[in-house]
């Protein structure tokens, strides 16, 4: 209950602990309250989303709920103010795709990552230097989702596009 009443300092720590303990159910329940609370502002959810460890299948359902909440929050904001919130929507969709795939919801993951790619393509057309890296990473994940869906032809074309973009980026900003 402490991480519910005092979200800012404790919710992120609760994620870290829940990923490491044998019985995380009370922490997961408290985190679910924070995520599902409509009064939790999006600005407080962003750092929580960053905190979920990628290798934690135990927390995947909760991470997907958070990503769905973020997509739901960003979608109307991006409609009303695309210049400010569209990138947030794309990032939330990308995260949602990851967690949905981890949960075995491959069709939903494919839809989310395809939408993220569309947004990053649009953003890269406006600000090429800023959004090309995001587009390349998202294209890579789209290729993985396409391959998982058995769509090898589109997966190969997509990974080819991602590789070409990454080579272009490496040529302009080598390590």
């Amino acid at each position: 209950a402490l991480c519910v009443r005092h979200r800012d300092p404790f919710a992120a720590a609760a994620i870290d602990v829940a990923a490491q303990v044998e019985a995380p159910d009370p922490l997961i329940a408290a985190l679910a309250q924070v995520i599902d609370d409509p009064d939790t502002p999006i600005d407080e959810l962003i750092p929580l989303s960053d905190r979920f460890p990628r290798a934690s299948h135990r927390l995947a359902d909760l991470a997907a709920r958070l990503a769905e909440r973020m997509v739901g929050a960003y979608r109307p904001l991006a409609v009303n103010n695309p210049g400010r919130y569209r990138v947030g929507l794309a990032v939330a969709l990308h995260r949602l795709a990851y967690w949905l795939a981890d949960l075995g919801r491959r069709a939903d993951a494919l839809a989310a990552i395809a939408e993220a790619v569309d947004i990053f393509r649009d953003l890269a057309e406006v600000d090429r230097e800023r959004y090309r890296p995001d587009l390349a990473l998202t294209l890579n994940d789209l290729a993985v989702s396409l391959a998982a869906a058995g769509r090898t032809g589109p997966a190969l074309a997509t990974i080819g596009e991602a590789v070409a973009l990454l080579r272009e980026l490496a040529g302009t900003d080598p390590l």
Side-chain angles (χ1 to χ4, degrees):
L2 190 61
C3 76
V4 174
R5 286 192 313 269
H6 303 284
R7 294 183 300 248
D8 190 33
F10 293 114
I15 292 170
D16 295 341
V17 174
Q20 298 174 26
V21 298
E22 287 184 36
D25 293 343
L27 290 170
I28 290 173
L31 288 165
Q33 283 184 306
V34 170
I35 290 167
D36 295 339
D37 183 353
D39 292 332
T40 304
I42 189 79
D43 291 344
E44 289 183 23
L45 294 176
I46 294 168
L48 296 183
S49 179
D50 293 339
R51 206 64 180 235
F52 280 93
R54 291 284 184 148
S56 177
H57 300 292
R58 184 185 325 185
L59 298 178
D61 186 56
L62 189 61
R65 278 172 65 181
L66 175 56
E68 286 172 336
R69 167 90 194 280
M70 292 179 68
V71 167
Y74 273 117
R75 201 174 289 287
L77 293 171
V79 168
N80 294 326
N81 189 347
R84 182 169 180 191
Y85 293 108
R86 202 149 183 242
V87 68
L89 176 59
V91 169
L93 284 162
H94 195 174
R95 288 180 180 160
L96 177 60
Y98 174 85
W99 292 112
L100 291 174
D102 193 54
L103 292 169
R105 294 173 53 192
R106 302 222 182 274
D108 293 331
L110 181 56
I113 197 66
E115 185 178 353
V117 165
D118 289 343
I119 293 170
F120 277 124
R121 272 190 208 286
D122 291 345
L123 291 168
E125 285 180 18
V126 174
D127 190 344
R128 187 168 164 77
E129 294 308 310
R130 183 172 179 189
Y131 293 111
R132 279 186 312 164
D134 296 310
L135 177 58
L137 292 173
T138 310
L139 282 166
N140 179 74
D141 290 348
L142 175 59
V144 170
S145 289
L146 288 165
R151 297 174 55 193
T152 55
L156 288 171
T158 302
I159 199 63
E161 183 182 355
V163 167
L165 188 52
L166 288 168
R167 283 184 177 147
E168 183 182 316
L169 288 166
T172 59
D173 189 17
L175 297 176

